[in-house]
Amino acid sequence: MGVYYYYVNETRSQYFCIDPSGRDIKQYAVGHNIGSRALSYLLLDNDEYATGVKVHPLVGSWIGDRFYITGDDYCTTFERIQAEYEDLGQQIIELLVDIDPWNLLEYGGVDWLLNLIEDSGQFVTITNEMRKRMSHEFRLARQQSPDQNLDRICAALRR
């Protein structure tokens, strides 16, 4: 299986996989995948006027905190972290959908998003609210500019 990488916040006793879907979890993906986009929101000032990002309880919540990236086999205390810290994986995906569902497509890619939708419940769950939000956004875009990939995503969201 190899090493899975995680963002760990010691200050708040929270962590999440660098890809909460469990797909793009290797070292090369640190800073290049959907988890890095999520991390940027956790470190962004929660001021919609200044940043243009919708106010959300997680936005800016890690500012000033002590956090690090670790592999699940490098940190001798990782089992303790999993047992004692809060896993934010589900909340991270919800944050990304709530702020802008296009984040999932832009940073994850079409196949990644389709796998996330189709494998809902394996690592994170795509709730009905998340499905509605994504369906609305992607259907609207598809109406304005037809696209095969958007057709595939909308079909997966209907299932």
Side-chain angles (χ1 to χ4, degrees):
M1 294 278 304
V3 180
Y4 287 44
Y5 287 86
Y6 295 84
Y7 296 106
V8 178
N9 183 320
E10 283 187 346
T11 307
R12 296 182 183 275
S13 298
Q14 298 172 329
Y15 75 99
F16 66 97
C17 186
I18 63 166
D19 180 351
S21 76
R23 298 215 178 345
D24 201 10
I25 47 85
K26 299 301 180 185
Q27 185 176 14
Y28 68 84
V30 172
H32 298 286
N33 68 1
I34 195 74
S36 64
R37 181 63 174 164
L39 181 64
S40 73
Y41 285 132
L42 297 177
L43 299 173
L44 185 68
D45 188 19
N46 199 3
D47 180 352
E48 186 172 0
Y49 179 75
T51 63
V53 173
K54 183 177 171 181
V55 172
H56 188 281
L58 283 179
V59 173
S61 65
W62 282 23
I63 293 174
D65 291 352
R66 181 176 175 183
F67 70 92
Y68 57 92
I69 301 168
T70 188
D72 58 3
D73 75 338
Y74 294 154
C75 179
T76 58
T77 61
F78 193 74
E79 287 180 7
R80 181 187 61 79
I81 289 169
Q82 285 181 304
E84 297 176 11
Y85 285 28
E86 177 186 9
D87 182 357
L88 295 181
Q90 179 69 34
Q91 293 174 52
I92 292 296
I93 295 295
E94 290 172 5
L95 164 75
L96 294 168
V97 170
D98 189 38
I99 288 178
D100 185 0
W102 289 97
N103 280 313
L104 299 175
L105 185 56
E106 183 178 340
Y107 289 89
V110 174
D111 292 332
W112 178 91
L113 181 54
L114 287 169
N115 285 330
L116 178 70
I117 294 165
E118 292 165 358
D119 294 343
S120 178
Q122 184 176 359
F123 292 96
V124 294
T125 300
I126 302 300
T127 65
N128 287 335
E129 280 302 311
M130 294 165 70
R131 282 181 187 278
K132 287 178 193 175
R133 172 93 164 98
M134 287 190 287
S135 290
H136 174 74
E137 288 286 328
F138 296 136
R139 271 195 326 236
L140 183 62
R142 191 180 72 191
Q143 289 171 353
Q144 294 173 354
S145 179
D147 180 273
Q148 257 186 333
N149 288 327
L150 290 177
D151 290 343
R152 293 172 53 206
I153 292 168
C154 288
L157 286 166
R158 279 192 300 270
R159 291 183 201 134

